Amino acid sequence: MKLELPDLPYAANALEPHMSAETLGFHHGKHHNTYVVKGNELLADAGVDADNLEDLVRASAKVGGPLFNNVAQVYNHNFFWKSMKPAGGGAPSGAIADKINADFGSYDDFKKEFTAGGVGQFGSGWVWLVLDGGKLKIAKTPNAETPLTTSAKPILVCDVWEHAYYLDYQNRRPDFLAAFLENLVNWDFANQNLA
């Protein structure tokens, strides 16, 4: 299997003013693309193959090191782009809204926990909404780590590596997480993953 850089599911300026075209261009075109290129270089000699990206992440986790880091980062970024949409954010609707209320108590309580997870992730990493043991939970992972290597099912994610927000928010990670939840999160994608 060969890694590929997917097209963004929206125009580069479609998330403005909450995420600039400049940030998206660097993040997708440079950072994400580097993981694709390096991952393919490493896969050429690794003897690791799979039928889909999720299985490739799991197989590369057994090898670890740079191979896993690059393959997992391709998956994490693919998932991140889908976790956002133009004119997204705000309170969810549908099954995900009911499940958030059941498992967190309220959408406001979910927001607090998700934001705390993202702010509390030391250094580079990710904050996830996952389904684990039939219950929605917040998970944070460092570097390239992903819930795919655990029993949890990813529902949505926010990238909290500095390159995801520094051009727009400088060191204000809490402001970026607030913008993600209030204006960018794609609850339709979350509902698809929950189904």
Side-chain angles (χ1 to χ4, degrees):
M1 179 180 171
K2 190 173 165 99
L3 299 170
E4 295 181 359
L5 181 70
D7 292 333
L8 289 170
Y10 30 73
N13 65 350
L15 303 181
E16 291 185 340
H18 314 291
M19 183 178 289
S20 68
E22 184 181 24
T23 288
L24 207 49
F26 275 111
H27 196 170
H28 177 259
K30 303 288 188 199
H31 291 278
H32 191 175
N33 190 56
T34 297
Y35 297 126
V36 170
V37 171
K38 186 64 176 173
N40 281 328
E41 289 173 6
L42 294 166
L43 281 168
D45 299 320
V48 174
D49 198 15
D51 293 329
N52 58 61
L53 183 55
E54 290 83 359
D55 288 342
L56 190 62
V57 170
R58 293 181 188 103
S60 68
K62 295 173 183 165
V63 176
L67 177 66
F68 171 74
N69 289 339
N70 284 276
V71 171
Q73 283 291 71
V74 171
Y75 170 82
N76 290 353
H77 281 87
N78 288 0
F79 205 85
F80 178 52
W81 308 136
K82 294 175 188 173
S83 291
M84 298 183 291
K85 71 175 187 176
S93 60
I96 193 71
D98 295 337
K99 191 74 173 140
I100 282 173
N101 287 331
D103 294 343
F104 291 96
S106 71
Y107 175 64
D108 285 341
D109 288 339
F110 156 77
K111 280 199 314 186
K112 287 176 192 165
E113 197 170 329
F114 189 88
T115 301
V119 170
Q121 171 52 49
F122 181 77
S124 300
W126 305 83
V127 59
W128 304 81
L129 177 63
V130 299
L131 186 66
D132 191 12
K135 186 171 181 178
L136 288 176
K137 299 176 183 174
I138 304 301
K140 53 185 184 173
T141 59
N143 302 317
E145 293 296 324
T146 172
L148 285 183
T149 60
T150 71
S151 62
K153 177 183 180 181
I155 302 297
L156 51 82
V157 70
C158 186
D159 187 342
V160 293
W161 284 63
E162 282 191 342
H163 63 243
Y165 61 87
Y166 204 85
L167 292 176
D168 299 325
Y169 297 90
Q170 288 77 51
N171 64 337
R172 302 187 318 275
R173 189 187 286 184
D175 292 350
F176 169 61
L177 286 159
F180 175 82
L181 289 171
E182 292 167 16
N183 304 288
L184 297 174
V185 67
N186 184 351
W187 292 117
D188 297 330
F189 181 60
N191 271 311
Q192 290 169 19
N193 293 322
L194 185 63

